[in-house]
Amino acid sequence: MKIDAHQHFWQYNPEKHAWIEDHMSTIRQDFLPKDLKPLLDKAGVEGTVAVQADESFDENTFLLQLAKENSFIKKVVGWVDLRSLSLEKSLEEYSTNPSMAGFRMILQGQPPALMDDISFRNGMAKLKNYGYTYDILVFPHHLRATLDLVSHFPDQPFVIDHLAKPYIKDGKIDEWASWMKKIASFDNVHCKVSGMVTEANWKSWTSAELNPYIEVVLEAFGAERLMFGSDWPVQLLAAEYQQYHDLLSDYISSLSAVEQANIMGNNAAKFYGIQ
């Protein structure tokens, strides 16, 4: 099964989606299943994982309802505050909904030290009791803290979103690559090959510019721990859905059929528990 392991939905609200700044005005609109489904069909993608774009319980309710109404939305990655005193109650409530696969907090906007906070770590320790995954959304300057985090939770399934957003536009790769290789040494950590085009120059990126970053994570994580993800509709700032799908498909075309199938869907199905 071909699966897009990372995409979003929203009904645009200027306050809720204040992160969509003026230079991103092209995505200041609603993006719903009816908008994505034709793109998936064209690319032969059979299912998706819908990931939170707003840190609220209302966002979880919204995404879980969309998953209930649209069979192609196979799983949801929602939001909880791992530091909350009511975390256990929330996890118990969501455990009754089979569409909820895991959670993430938007750590990219937080200081790296948050991942070392005792309340954050105590919350992280609870996830495995419910079989939940955790998506790590960070920038390269968070990777030292990310390494420390994953090393303390070897039984927790982690996946790094968007290759940890390397500084592609600036051509920086060496330090990022070093940290990613260290993180990949923990076999409970996966990586989504998603969101790359928006870390490059939106108007002038080339596959030759992106390929070295794919090469790093392919070497580090192997074909068994990489996942295709589009980051639609955010990716529309720099590329159409089919364009990004084909970019990754072309890069991995020299791999075996099994390895290609793993990256394009099987790994995500196993990680998120998609049947």
Side-chain angles (χ1 to χ4, degrees), residues 149-191:
L149 177 70
V150 302
S151 70
H152 278 77
F153 295 95
D155 298 324
Q156 172 60 44
F158 291 106
V159 60
I160 297 178
D161 293 345
H162 314 324
L163 295 80
K165 297 194 168 185
Y167 304 123
I168 299 172
K169 186 177 180 180
D170 299 323
K172 295 180 179 180
I173 190 169
D174 293 341
E175 186 175 1
W176 164 84
S178 178
W179 285 113
M180 290 294 280
K181 290 173 183 177
K182 292 174 183 177
I183 291 168
S185 69
F186 294 90
D187 59 14
N188 59 314
V189 186
H190 294 61
C191 181

Side-chain angles (χ1 to χ4, degrees), residues 55-155:
E55 293 189 301
S56 70
F57 292 119
D58 285 345
E59 175 84 342
N60 295 344
T61 300
F62 170 65
L63 293 177
L64 289 170
Q65 183 61 33
L66 291 183
K68 183 178 180 180
E69 296 169 353
N70 298 270
S71 61
F72 74 84
I73 305 174
K74 302 300 183 182
K75 292 290 180 177
V76 168
V77 173
W79 170 85
V80 288
D81 186 345
L82 294 182
R83 302 163 296 179
S84 173
L85 295 176
S86 61
L87 174 64
E88 192 87 48
K89 179 181 177 182
S90 296
L91 296 179
E92 289 178 0
E93 290 176 353
Y94 288 123
S95 68
T96 63
N97 192 316
S99 291
M100 187 67 88
F103 299 96
R104 79 168 186 176
M105 294 169 62
I106 301 179
L107 297 176
Q108 67 178 22
Q110 300 291 336
L114 174 62
M115 285 184 270
D116 191 40
D117 183 89
I118 187 63
S119 60
F120 180 88
R121 296 263 175 128
N122 287 342
M124 184 68 72
K126 297 182 188 313
L127 295 183
K128 67 178 182 180
N129 298 330
Y130 297 88
Y132 283 129
T133 62
Y134 194 80
D135 273 52
I136 301 176
L137 178 64
V138 293
F139 287 124
H141 71 269
H142 292 87
L143 290 178
R144 181 189 297 272
T146 300
L147 176 62
D148 188 65
L149 177 70
V150 302
S151 70
H152 278 77
F153 295 95
D155 298 324

Side-chain angles (χ1 to χ4, degrees), residues 210-256:
L210 302 182
N211 287 345
Y213 297 87
I214 304 177
E215 181 179 358
V216 167
V217 293
L218 180 58
E219 179 183 343
F221 292 90
E224 301 78 23
R225 289 188 287 144
L226 289 186
M227 305 178 196
F228 157 66
S230 67
D231 198 29
W232 181 93
V234 182
Q235 68 152 129
L236 296 177
L237 294 167
E240 295 300 322
Y241 191 95
Q242 190 71 41
Q243 189 179 9
Y244 187 73
H245 169 276
D246 292 349
L247 167 75
L248 182 57
S249 294
D250 289 347
Y251 183 86
I252 65 173
S253 61
S254 62
L255 301 180
S256 71

